[in-house]
Each structure stands twice: as structure tokens, then as C-alpha cells.
Amino acid sequence: MTDEALKSELLAVALEAARRAGALLRDGRPDDLGVAATKTSSVDVVTEMDIAAEKLITGFLAERRPDDGVLGEEGASTEGSSGVRWVVDPLDGTVNYLYGLPTWAVSIAAEYEGETLVGVVEAPLRRETYRAVRGGGAYCDGPSGTGRKLTVRPAPPLDRALIGTGFGYLAERRRKQAEIAGRLIPGFRDIRRGGSAAVDLCDVAAGRLDGYYERGLNPWDYAAGDLIAREAGALTGGRPGERPSGELVVAAPPGVFAPLQGLLDELGAWHD
């Protein structure tokens, strides 16, 4: 299979898996939805719908691409033999979903030999599907039309930049993150906390944010959104000279990225 044919197939599979999971989450949310489990702390929650959505996605992938590996937030982990690995967050923004807030998404990325080839973020309550293929640009399908090409906003002066971020679930980490946000706010237009890393990265791609940063993410939180942001013209990374990681994820247009990354490194945003 050629590189382009593989990308096309992986994109089609990712789009269908995300569409099915998004529909399940949107239409199947029970009125009495509660917490099924917790992870790193009592406020880091998993619902029965997170689990159901991951089961749907992994079952679909096993049917369509049985030789691929999978890494999922809710425990799915298979090695595979094809060189392709799916990185899946079945419900990014679980607390928003639990409370009935609209900012949540299904995030699915496909890696080949360790490089992300395809990213899809399905945001059902926005009625938007963000998608990217490495080297092929980033697009949004939604109410404003199918196949709208995404381009980052031109870099403003930092004091007019709107920056997105998120906070972890461990108390000490949240305290440090709040301190850093407090020190950043005077030098920017404002800071937003949406509650879904995948959506925040897509908002950078769509020009709805001038930048985004967060510490403590896992690969499934940012794999798809990182590719979508980059294909829309953003720069992404972690600490200076490093790739995005659990220490730090930064995404912004050229002109905002380097000063934002430098400030975050200076303030110690990469450690608790």
C-alpha cells in the first residue's frame, strides 16, 4: 500500500470510528449519568459512557484494522504488527460531559512507525469534525460547510493574545498551574480554560485561540489535536527544543509560539 493510500484508509477509519462514538455519547447520555470510577484523584473521573465509547471504538478498529496496535485512555492497549498504532481518547472533557457542558470531544489519531499520520477530533455538540492528514492540511466539517480549510490566526502582539490552558487533577499541580496562569494574565489579552485539550488545540487551528499550553497531558489527549494544529500552520512543542509531552504541550502560530514557550519555561510550567 502506498503512503497516500494508507493515509486515506486511516482517515476514513478514524472518521467513522469518531462519528459512531460521538453519536453514542451525544444520543446515549443517560439523565442520571454518574461517576463510574476515578483515576489520579477524586475529581479525575470516568463515566460509564467513557468506557462504552472506548469499547465501541476499539471494537470497530479491531474489525477494520485487526493487525494495528491501540493505546486508549480507558485501558485499551495492544501492540499490533502492522506498524500502525491508534491513540484514542474516547471522551476528552469528561467533567464537562458529566455536567452537561458542550465542550467535549472524541479524539482519534493514527501513528505509523511512531509518526502521527492522521488526526480526527469529533465535537458533537459543536456539530464539528476536525481532521488532518500529515502534509495535507487541516479541515473542519460542520454547520458552516464541509471541508473548510483551517488556518491559524495571524500572530498578534502578546498583550492582545488570547491563550487557552487547562489544569490537572492533583491538588499541588493545580495550585502551581493557577500561580503560573496568574503571572501570565497581565501580559496577555486573557486566558481561557475550556476543559478539553483536543478542542483547545483545534481552536488554535481554527483561529479561535492565539495559543494554548498545558502540563500533565497524556498522548491520547493531544495526539490528534497536535497534528490538526500543525497542519493549520501552528508550531507545537514542549520545552524549548523538545516535542510535546506530559511535561508540557504548547501550540501557537509563529510569532506567539516562541515567546509563549520561553515564558512558560522561565516560569517552570513544566514541573510541579
Side-chain angles (χ1 to χ4, degrees):
M1 183 179 292
T2 67
D3 187 52
E4 292 307 311
L6 178 62
K7 290 178 183 177
S8 179
E9 179 178 334
L10 296 178
L11 177 62
V13 171
L15 284 167
E16 181 62 17
R19 185 195 66 79
R20 293 186 183 195
L24 171 70
L25 292 164
R26 181 192 63 226
D27 301 335
R29 184 185 184 280
D31 293 335
D32 60 348
L33 179 67
V35 174
T38 60
K39 292 184 284 189
T40 60
S41 76
S42 62
V43 293
D44 186 6
V45 300
V46 179
T47 72
E48 62 190 86
M49 297 303 291
D50 294 71
I51 298 165
E54 182 161 297
K55 183 176 181 181
L56 183 156
I57 293 167
T58 55
F60 180 76
L61 294 176
E63 176 186 322
R64 293 288 298 273
R65 301 272 313 178
D67 298 325
D68 295 350
V70 178
L71 175 67
E73 180 177 16
E74 306 311 333
S77 181
T78 57
E79 288 297 323
S81 58
S82 66
V84 173
R85 183 177 75 157
W86 297 91
V87 184
V88 175
D89 192 338
L91 176 50
D92 189 55
T94 298
V95 172
N96 284 346
Y97 184 79
L98 179 66
Y99 277 77
L101 294 169
T103 305
W104 53 268
V106 180
S107 176
I108 301 177
E111 300 173 342
Y112 181 69
E113 303 294 353
E115 293 294 328
T116 305
L117 291 187
V118 165
V120 170
V121 174
E122 175 84 7
L125 296 190
R126 286 189 172 193
R127 294 187 296 156
E128 292 180 327
T129 303
Y130 306 89
R131 53 184 169 87
V133 172
R134 191 175 70 183
Y139 297 86
C140 178
D141 306 322
S144 60
T146 298
R148 176 170 61 91
K149 188 172 176 60
L150 299 177
T151 305
V152 295
R153 181 182 290 271
L158 286 187
D159 63 359
R160 280 181 268 164
L162 183 65
I163 304 297
T165 192
F167 300 108
Y169 293 108
L170 299 172
E172 185 59 25
R173 176 169 294 174
R174 292 160 70 88
R175 183 195 63 77
K176 176 69 180 293
Q177 289 172 320
E179 284 180 5
I180 289 167
R183 294 176 70 181
L184 288 173
I185 282 175
F188 293 88
R189 183 188 294 274
D190 208 347
I191 288 182
R192 293 287 182 268
R193 194 270 197 262
S196 165
V199 173
D200 285 341
L201 286 162
C202 291
D203 279 345
V204 172
R208 294 168 176 162
L209 289 171
D210 296 307
Y212 164 76
Y213 75 93
E214 189 165 349
R215 165 163 166 73
L217 297 179
N218 292 293
W220 47 78
D221 297 311
Y222 63 82
D226 175 78
L227 179 66
I228 292 166
R230 284 190 283 113
E231 287 295 328
L235 301 177
T236 70
R239 296 191 68 192
E242 297 183 7
R243 299 178 68 169
S245 72
E247 283 190 334
L248 189 65
V249 173
V250 186
V256 172
F257 178 81
L260 175 60
Q261 186 187 49
L263 276 170
L264 293 167
D265 198 56
E266 180 183 332
L267 292 172
W270 47 275
H271 67 82
D272 299 333

